[in-house]
Amino acid sequence: MNKQDYLKKYNSINEILIEWNPLGVDGPVLKEEYIAIIPSLITIERDRNKLTEYFINLLEKNYGVNYSQKELTKIVDKIIKSYDCL
């Protein structure tokens, strides 16, 4: 993957995470709140099971937040679909 494609994926995923905002972050820091996890998501790419597992571990173990399985499925679908639009 070239740098331009990587940046497109990176920005697309960041926008999805900002819209979702599972931590409920407010203000200007929201734009940077989830950037640390984006490289892992890009590495996982289109593997629905691995993306879901990654988010469950992240939300439960790292963030300690509750989440809706239905909402998580929507986010995983958005991330996978975002690859098709790039």
Side-chain angles (χ1 to χ4, degrees):
M1 170 183 335
N2 65 41
K3 186 175 181 178
Q4 185 178 8
D5 289 342
Y6 183 88
L7 289 174
K8 285 180 183 179
K9 287 181 182 186
Y10 184 97
N11 290 328
S12 178
I13 292 171
N14 195 36
E15 288 300 317
I16 293 167
L17 296 175
I18 288 170
E19 181 183 329
W20 181 32
N21 193 14
L23 298 180
V25 175
D26 290 325
V29 296
L30 175 58
K31 200 161 186 109
E32 298 178 2
E33 181 64 29
Y34 305 106
I35 60 174
I37 67 171
I38 296 172
S40 295
L41 298 174
I42 290 173
T43 300
I44 295 170
E45 207 162 278
R46 289 181 166 91
D47 188 320
R48 182 177 310 282
N49 292 332
K50 286 184 180 179
L51 283 169
T52 301
E53 182 181 318
Y54 179 84
F55 276 120
I56 289 171
N57 285 328
L58 183 73
L59 294 171
E60 290 179 351
K61 295 178 182 171
N62 293 14
Y63 294 155
V65 297
N66 294 323
Y67 62 93
S68 157
Q69 184 64 44
K70 184 177 179 180
E71 186 67 22
L72 180 56
T73 300
K74 286 181 188 178
I75 296 305
V76 168
D77 287 345
K78 282 185 178 184
I79 290 171
I80 291 170
K81 286 179 185 175
S82 76
Y83 290 124
D84 297 333
C85 297
L86 300 175

